[in-house]
Amino acid sequence: MKNKIFCIGFNKTGTTSLKKAFDNLGFNVGNQHYAELLMNEYLSGNFDAIIKYCKSAQVFQDFPFSVPNTYKYLDDAYPDSKFILTIRDSPEQWYNSLVRYHSILFGNGKVPTKENLMDTRYVFPGWMWKYNRIFYGLPENDPYNKGILMNHYQKYIEGVKQYFKDRPNDILIINLSEKEAYKKFCSFLNISSPFNEFPWENKTKI
C-alpha cells in the first residue's frame, strides 16, 4: 500500500512497539528525531512544514503526530490516509506508565522536576519542559499533575473519536496488549504478516 499511515496515539501507549512492527514489515517509517525538531513550526501553526516532512516516508508516529490538531491537517493534505490511535486500558494506567518511564529517563528514578526537564538534552536542551508545559498546560511546581494529564489523555481520545465518527475505515483504535490486537492491525491495513503479535519495545512496569 502507498497511502500514508499516521500513528497518532500518545507516548507510552505502545507507539514504539507499533513503529517496530512497521519496521519488521518493511514499511518506510519517518525519522522521529527529525520530526521532533518541528516543535516550533507546530507552535507557530506552520503545519505546511509538517506536511512537507511527511513526503519523506510512509509511516509516522509520536510527536508532532500525537498532539492536538495535527491529524486534522494531515487528513486534509493526504486524502485516503490511515490513522492509528493507540490507547491503554485506562487513563490511570497510561499516566502511571508515563511517569515511571520519565522518572527513569529524566529524574534519576524519581518523578522529574521542572529543573530536571529543563536540563535534559533530549532533542535539545529544555525540549521536554517545553513539551510538558505547552501541550499539557502543567504548573511549574507540579509538572506531572495526575488530574491534568489524565484529563488531557481522555480529551484527546474523545476528540479523535469524534473527528472520525463517520469514517470507521480510516481509523483504528487499538490497545496493543489485547489478544487480537495484531490481527486487527493487519486487517485494518489489509496486509498479511509472518508475525503473530506486536514486538514489545520500551516496556516498563506500571
Side-chain angles (χ1 to χ4, degrees):
M1 59 182 297
K2 296 181 180 180
N3 295 340
K4 302 292 183 182
I5 304 169
F6 299 108
C7 307
I8 59 175
F10 273 15
N11 179 257
K12 299 311 297 175
T13 60
T15 55
T16 305
S17 294
L18 191 60
K19 175 186 180 299
K20 183 65 174 178
F22 277 112
D23 285 335
N24 289 345
L25 291 168
F27 283 80
N28 183 10
V29 181
N31 185 300
Q32 182 183 340
H33 177 70
Y34 184 83
E36 288 168 336
L37 293 173
L38 296 170
M39 175 182 277
N40 290 332
E41 280 72 15
Y42 175 88
L43 295 177
S44 66
N46 180 18
F47 286 92
D48 288 342
I50 299 173
I51 290 168
K52 182 179 180 180
Y53 161 73
C54 291
K55 295 179 181 180
S56 66
Q58 183 183 7
V59 180
F60 303 89
Q61 51 98 40
D62 278 342
F63 184 87
F65 309 99
S66 58
V67 289
N69 296 318
T70 299
Y71 61 87
K72 298 176 184 178
Y73 286 88
L74 296 175
D75 183 38
D76 184 60
Y78 294 100
D80 301 319
S81 294
K82 296 290 188 180
F83 294 82
I84 300 177
L85 175 67
T86 45
I87 61 174
R88 299 298 296 267
D89 293 345
S90 68
E92 187 162 14
Q93 185 192 48
W94 167 77
Y95 171 80
N96 290 337
S97 181
L98 176 76
V99 172
R100 177 174 174 80
Y101 189 60
H102 282 200
S103 296
I104 294 171
L105 288 183
F106 311 125
N108 294 317
K110 299 180 181 180
V111 178
T113 63
K114 170 187 176 181
E115 290 71 28
N116 292 144
L117 296 176
M118 291 184 71
D119 288 343
T120 180
R121 294 187 174 275
Y122 181 81
V123 184
F124 55 75
W127 191 95
M128 279 306 306
W129 170 247
K130 198 172 185 179
Y131 182 93
N132 267 30
R133 183 83 168 126
I134 293 173
F135 296 110
Y136 296 136
L138 293 157
E140 292 192 19
N141 63 344
D142 190 10
Y144 287 88
N145 181 282
K146 187 174 183 178
I148 293 176
L149 282 168
M150 287 175 53
N151 181 67
H152 194 85
Y153 172 86
Q154 290 177 296
K155 185 177 179 181
Y156 179 76
I157 291 174
E158 290 305 314
V160 173
K161 288 180 177 179
Q162 179 65 24
Y163 182 82
F164 287 101
K165 66 178 182 178
D166 298 321
R167 298 164 52 192
N169 294 329
D170 297 334
I171 183 75
L172 173 66
I173 301 174
I174 188 170
N175 185 331
L176 268 60
S177 66
E178 292 182 351
K179 185 177 180 180
E180 298 294 319
Y182 193 76
K183 183 178 180 180
K184 292 178 182 178
F185 166 75
C186 293
S187 177
F188 175 69
L189 297 177
N190 193 26
I191 59 174
S192 58
S193 171
F195 309 104
N196 296 315
E197 59 184 17
F198 285 104
W200 281 103
E201 300 285 325
N202 284 351
K203 189 175 183 180
T204 55
K205 295 180 180 179
I206 60 174

